[in-house]
Amino acid sequence: MAPDFTFHISHFTFKQKLKTMKLICIGRNYSEHAKELNNPVPENPVFFMKPDTALLLKNRPFYIPEFSNEVHHEVEVVVKINRIGKHIDEKFAHRYYDEIGLGVDFTARDIQQKCKEKGLPWEIAKAFDYSAPLGEFIPVDKLPDVKAINFELLKNGKTVQKGNTSDMLFSIDQIISYVSKYVTLKIGDLIYTGTPSGVGPVAIGDKLTGKLEGEVMFDFEVR
Ligand code: ZN
């Protein structure tokens, strides 16, 4: 019986390895946004993680969770990691991604504020189920300039957040280098690279549309 049991365990582990991925999110990466939340501009990238259960795909509606009265949208450029890496040097970081996307880092701002006051981790404000809508991806070589990507978020057809990745405090390559000192990056991992200013609350019935270089990357409803 023993060999058969071993086979099932290893088979299960193998499947798990293929399917799991993680979301790494960068905080305070645009100085105007750090200022609007009264946060100091950081010396190093600030990162936190969301589990894969945070993903919300295919323009499915986002349901405001019952535990928060103030869920904010944070539109963010998303980098999809395409090879495994640890201690990645900044000058080689560009080899670790070839697609750029757009997503939302939904944040229960009221809960996050309480966590901050108590010096507690942010997970319950950031990592909850479906807190990370993710849209389409564009190959890096189809972008006019990967170091200066224009993106915006429209709420009910009106632009509420507008950014350019050249305004990031830490570039995509610096983020990859920094994060990979601490955490091994694996194929399929996603890095949400931080939000520009203009974050604000969402309400039931809102329609959120994300654009990258003018292309619609996601378009979904808040319920
Ligand atoms: Zn964010």
Side-chain angles (χ1 to χ4, degrees):
M1 290 301 284
D4 190 45
F5 178 74
T6 310
F7 170 77
H8 282 293
I9 291 292
S10 59
H11 181 65
F12 176 76
T13 309
F14 179 65
K15 279 174 82 175
Q16 285 293 101
K17 270 184 193 158
L18 283 177
K19 281 182 179 169
T20 55
M21 41 77 69
K22 56 190 175 288
L23 284 71
I24 294 158
C25 304
I26 308 300
R28 305 171 190 175
N29 203 21
Y30 291 83
S31 59
E32 289 303 314
H33 169 63
K35 276 186 219 160
E36 77 182 345
L37 294 183
N38 291 317
N39 289 318
V41 171
E43 270 175 54
N44 282 313
V46 175
F47 75 90
F48 58 92
M49 295 205 259
K50 298 192 187 220
D52 56 3
T53 43
L55 275 180
L56 182 62
L57 303 170
K58 300 179 182 171
N59 288 326
R60 291 194 179 107
F62 170 73
Y63 288 85
I64 297 177
E66 86 293 337
F67 53 78
S68 174
N69 294 313
E70 194 190 6
V71 172
H72 277 194
H73 54 74
E74 295 191 354
V75 69
E76 312 201 357
V77 166
V78 180
V79 178
K80 194 193 283 177
I81 297 297
N82 66 359
R83 54 196 285 197
I84 191 163
K86 172 88 177 161
H87 291 298
I88 300 163
D89 194 289
E90 189 186 325
K91 66 176 179 288
F92 300 123
H94 66 275
R95 299 180 183 173
Y96 289 78
Y97 59 95
D98 54 18
E99 285 181 288
I100 298 288
L102 197 67
V104 178
D105 163 23
F106 274 123
T107 304
R109 194 71 71 201
D110 47 353
I111 312 263
Q112 188 196 28
Q113 193 52 39
K114 284 182 198 153
C115 293
K116 281 183 180 175
E117 282 162 15
K118 293 178 185 163
L120 293 172
W122 298 350
E123 267 72 3
I124 58 167
K126 286 282 200 181
F128 56 89
D129 286 354
Y130 309 123
S131 60
L134 182 66
E136 302 292 324
F137 280 83
I138 296 182
V140 165
D141 57 18
K142 295 273 191 298
L143 291 166
D145 182 358
V146 71
K147 290 186 166 64
I149 304 165
N150 287 297
F151 62 104
E152 65 182 309
L153 180 73
L154 294 87
K155 187 165 90 173
N156 306 321
K158 188 170 158 273
T159 300
V160 286
Q161 288 190 269
K162 205 174 170 80
N164 185 289
T165 57
S166 63
D167 295 323
M168 285 178 169
L169 297 172
F170 302 100
S171 69
I172 291 172
D173 293 355
Q174 285 173 318
I175 292 166
I176 287 174
S177 175
Y178 182 79
V179 171
S180 70
K181 278 186 208 170
Y182 302 93
V183 180
T184 299
L185 296 177
K186 292 167 73 176
I187 296 168
D189 285 351
L190 299 167
I191 304 180
Y192 282 61
T193 57
T195 197
S197 61
V199 301
V202 293
I204 292 170
D206 282 346
K207 192 175 175 178
L208 296 182
T209 308
K211 290 186 181 180
L212 193 145
E213 297 296 355
E215 296 280 325
V216 173
M217 306 296 274
F218 63 77
D219 189 25
F220 64 88
E221 252 180 47
V222 176
R223 290 187 187 162

